[in-house]
Amino acid sequence: MMNITGASSKILLMATRDFIHYSPSLSTISLTRFRTLTYASSSSSSDYYTDRLVSNPPDLIGWVRKEGGFVHKGLKLVDEESNGVGLVSSEDIPKGADLISLPSHLPLQFQSLESGDGDGVDSVLIQLSRQVPEELWAMKLGLKLLQERATVGSFWWPYISNLPQTYTVPIFFPGEDIKNLQYAPLLYQVNKRCRFLLDFEKDIKHALDNVKPDDHPFGGQGVDASALGWAMSAVSSRAFRLHGARLPDGAHSSIPMMLPLIDMCNHSFQPNAKIFQEEETRNSKMLVKVKAETDIRQNDPVVLNYGGLSNDFFLIDYGFVVPSNPYDTIELKYDGAFLDAASMAVGITSPNFSAPKPWQQQILSQLKLHGEASDLKVSLGGPELVEGRLLAALRVLLATDVETVEKHDLNTLKSLSVEAPLGISNEVATLRTVIALCLIALEHFPTKIMEDEALLKKSASPSTNLSLQLRIQKKSLIIDVMRNLTRRVKNLSSTATTNQD
């Protein structure tokens, strides 16, 4: 095993410390409570996953059918302890069968955002939505969800009442379980969302102080950070970005929508169903459909693929962690001094990551790892195994022959499938540097996988379980990358020895 110097570990700690600013989660903050728009933010009971917003909610399948939608007779809603409410088949369903069809008036969307300033209630809601940063788009639709939640006799009440009362996303974790994630980039995002919700609560209160009762978007009810967090989590975990209104050029706008009943389908990377959109020729309205992609057997859950997302996104937006997720990555900060330390730790003499030559700087700028337009976030894992920008940078900075580098385009240098484009010794040095990065990243976690697995067996708290699962998967990912790259180094070294013979 390679020894990693204390200096390299210290650099990693310094690099990641800038990302971490612990703040209490929404579940640990004392909030002023307002009538029915305040939600429970955490629970330790076995009902954590299955409690709906109201007990004995209306029949959602019956409502969809009543409103002109189609639901296959072989589908039913089931409360699953680990996955929440999900759609399950009550009979064998053949591949290609229509499962669900929603007419255009059933999806919940913030249409008024696309159609001007509106007036009265809509005007206030639009002004509030404009204070939401684009990256937190779920909060914009969440405002509409809260408005409908507060509206007596809302058209969407049969759907809203079936939504979960609580969500297992980290903004609702106890503070200790947020720290237990042990992963700086995710901690940063959780902290950022908590702070936004607390600040947005104040903005909303200020904006609604002088609003006339008839123009109040939430029926006169107050909205606090926990209610905002509930709404944002409901949208981020359930909304789909689908085609909206037709634009003047004939294309369709893309807007997030909540799809009643369809969003009860849970996730799988091996889905048995898929969403389609079809346009009616008579009135140009969009129909949203779900069809069986495979034969679905009796008692099988109906599952969709939410996308090739890392566990960071699955946890912070959906509230779960996918074991052995092929799209999971670990994020690092590209830093020359850090790379110098990692490279020297594995016996590479005089690396010049922190002092690249002018021709190397030029290539780094093209990779956006140098200069004003730089993006220093790089990743390991996922389909690439080593992010192409990082791989190309290491290959170039460990090269001494500019002529050899200039023979290859950036796409070649960014590809791990192109074996040793700059020579075997360069490739071995590059891969050993990445392995050192992995070791340092792994060393940064204060606990070992075996310790986490032992804690997981003892824990009964959903939030603690998720924190443990997340860090187990991150550490496993790092180990898998190391194993893969170590095999490559051995193969390259063997090839080099054979060539010498």
Side-chain angles (χ1 to χ4, degrees):
M1 181 177 290
M2 290 173 270
N3 293 319
I4 301 300
T5 65
S8 58
S9 297
K10 184 177 180 181
I11 290 172
L12 177 63
L13 289 169
M14 291 172 64
T16 55
R17 185 170 54 196
D18 293 338
F19 289 124
I20 307 175
H21 300 282
Y22 291 125
S23 69
S25 70
L26 298 185
S27 64
T28 60
I29 295 169
S30 176
L31 298 173
T32 304
R33 301 294 174 178
F34 294 100
R35 294 169 63 185
T36 57
L37 284 189
T38 294
Y39 299 87
S41 55
S42 64
S43 172
S44 59
S45 72
S46 60
D47 295 330
Y48 189 93
Y49 294 99
T50 57
D51 272 358
R52 304 193 204 185
L53 193 59
V54 299
S55 58
N56 302 314
D59 174 16
L60 183 57
I61 291 178
W63 176 70
V64 170
R65 288 173 175 157
K66 175 178 174 292
E67 291 299 328
F70 167 80
V71 183
H72 193 285
K73 63 183 179 63
L75 295 183
K76 61 181 179 180
L77 281 175
V78 175
D79 287 343
E80 300 176 309
E81 182 176 346
S82 59
N83 295 321
V85 180
L87 271 177
V88 174
S89 60
S90 58
E91 61 181 54
D92 290 348
I93 301 176
K95 177 181 178 180
D98 286 343
L99 301 178
I100 304 171
S101 178
L102 300 182
S104 59
H105 66 282
L106 281 186
L108 177 60
Q109 53 188 296
F110 203 166
Q111 292 175 308
S112 56
L113 276 176
E114 309 295 327
S115 57
D117 290 337
D119 52 24
V121 172
D122 283 343
S123 176
V124 176
L125 208 62
I126 290 169
Q127 292 303 319
L128 290 175
S129 73
R130 288 174 177 165
Q131 299 181 50
V132 178
E134 193 57 39
E135 64 182 287
L136 297 179
W137 60 269
M139 188 70 265
K140 296 186 178 185
L141 182 53
L143 291 171
K144 176 66 174 177
L145 176 62
L146 282 178
Q147 181 189 44
E148 294 298 331
R149 168 68 181 87
T151 300
V152 176
S154 167
F155 170 76
W156 283 281
W157 176 245
Y159 165 62
I160 295 171
S161 63
N162 275 277
L163 295 178
Q165 185 181 31
T166 57
Y167 286 93
T168 56
V169 294
I171 60 171
F172 290 130
F173 283 10
E176 192 61 31
D177 283 335
I178 293 179
K179 294 180 183 179
N180 283 337
L181 291 168
Q182 297 183 355
Y183 180 53
L186 186 58
L187 290 169
Y188 171 77
Q189 291 299 328
V190 174
N191 174 67
K192 184 177 180 179
R193 292 192 182 193
C194 287
R195 291 193 181 279
F196 163 76
L197 291 168
L198 292 169
D199 291 341
F200 197 37
E201 173 189 3
K202 298 174 184 176
D203 293 339
I204 289 177
K205 185 177 185 301
H206 181 265
L208 299 181
D209 275 346
N210 299 314
V211 169
K212 295 183 293 185
D214 289 345
D215 292 340
H216 198 292
F218 309 112
Q221 299 183 46
V223 175
D224 66 2
S226 63
L228 293 169
W230 177 88
M232 186 170 71
S233 301
V235 173
S236 71
S237 64
R238 312 185 82 83
F240 297 82
R241 189 172 288 276
L242 301 176
H243 296 315
R246 187 183 290 276
L247 301 174
D249 62 1
H252 287 280
S253 60
S254 176
I255 57 176
M257 307 178 189
M258 299 186 76
L259 306 179
L261 195 61
I262 291 177
D263 61 12
M264 300 295 180
C265 298
N266 289 314
H267 164 77
S268 174
F269 286 130
Q270 292 80 42
N272 56 20
K274 187 175 181 179
I275 295 182
F276 296 87
Q277 278 186 277
E278 296 182 0
E279 187 171 341
E280 293 181 341
T281 55
R282 289 180 298 175
N283 55 16
S284 297
K285 291 183 178 180
M286 301 299 294
L287 292 176
V288 183
K289 292 186 174 184
V290 175
K291 293 187 176 184
E293 282 281 279
T294 66
D295 291 336
I296 302 176
R297 301 303 179 192
Q298 185 177 7
N299 297 322
D300 281 352
V302 179
V303 288
L304 301 167
N305 187 347
Y306 293 179
L309 305 175
S310 72
N311 277 331
D312 305 50
F313 286 102
F314 278 127
L315 182 55
I316 200 168
D317 282 340
Y318 296 93
F320 61 82
V321 173
V322 178
S324 303
N325 180 354
Y327 300 96
D328 199 16
T329 60
I330 186 162
E331 183 182 298
L332 301 172
K333 182 179 180 181
Y334 182 88
D335 181 272
F338 176 36
L339 291 170
D340 277 341
S343 190
M344 287 188 289
V346 292
I348 298 172
T349 58
S350 303
N352 62 338
F353 295 111
S354 57
K357 298 173 183 176
W359 66 270
Q360 293 172 325
Q361 288 183 13
Q362 185 177 0
I363 297 175
L364 289 177
S365 295
Q366 294 176 50
L367 295 169
K368 295 187 177 180
L369 293 173
H370 179 79
E372 294 182 0
S374 61
D375 174 10
L376 301 181
K377 292 180 182 179
V378 293
S379 63
L380 300 175
E384 285 187 296
L385 200 65
V386 180
E387 184 184 326
R389 295 189 308 136
L390 174 60
L391 181 64
L394 295 180
R395 283 170 167 172
V396 169
L397 290 170
L398 287 168
T400 56
D401 185 357
V402 61
E403 289 78 15
T404 302
V405 174
E406 290 177 343
K407 292 178 182 178
H408 303 282
D409 59 27
L410 276 185
N411 288 333
T412 297
L413 297 175
K414 290 164 66 175
S415 174
L416 194 59
S417 62
V418 179
E419 189 174 276
L422 303 183
I424 290 178
S425 61
N426 174 276
E427 193 75 352
V428 168
T430 295
L431 298 183
R432 289 178 67 193
T433 299
V434 178
I435 292 170
L437 292 178
C438 290
L439 281 169
I440 296 170
L442 196 60
E443 189 181 79
H444 180 58
F445 287 96
T447 58
K448 309 297 184 185
I449 289 182
M450 291 182 63
E451 296 175 72
D452 295 338
E453 291 173 340
L455 291 170
L456 191 58
K457 291 179 181 178
K458 299 177 182 177
S459 173
S461 163
S463 58
T464 301
N465 286 347
L466 285 169
S467 292
L468 288 167
Q469 290 172 31
L470 186 282
R471 70 197 206 203
I472 287 172
Q473 293 305 314
K474 291 297 180 186
K475 295 169 192 175
S476 298
L477 179 157
I478 295 170
I479 292 171
D480 287 344
V481 172
M482 289 170 60
R483 285 173 176 164
N484 188 306
L485 297 183
T486 299
R487 283 195 298 269
R488 291 170 182 262
V489 169
K490 288 181 178 179
N491 291 337
L492 288 167
S493 299
S494 176
T495 301
T497 302
T498 302
N499 292 340
Q500 288 175 358
D501 294 342

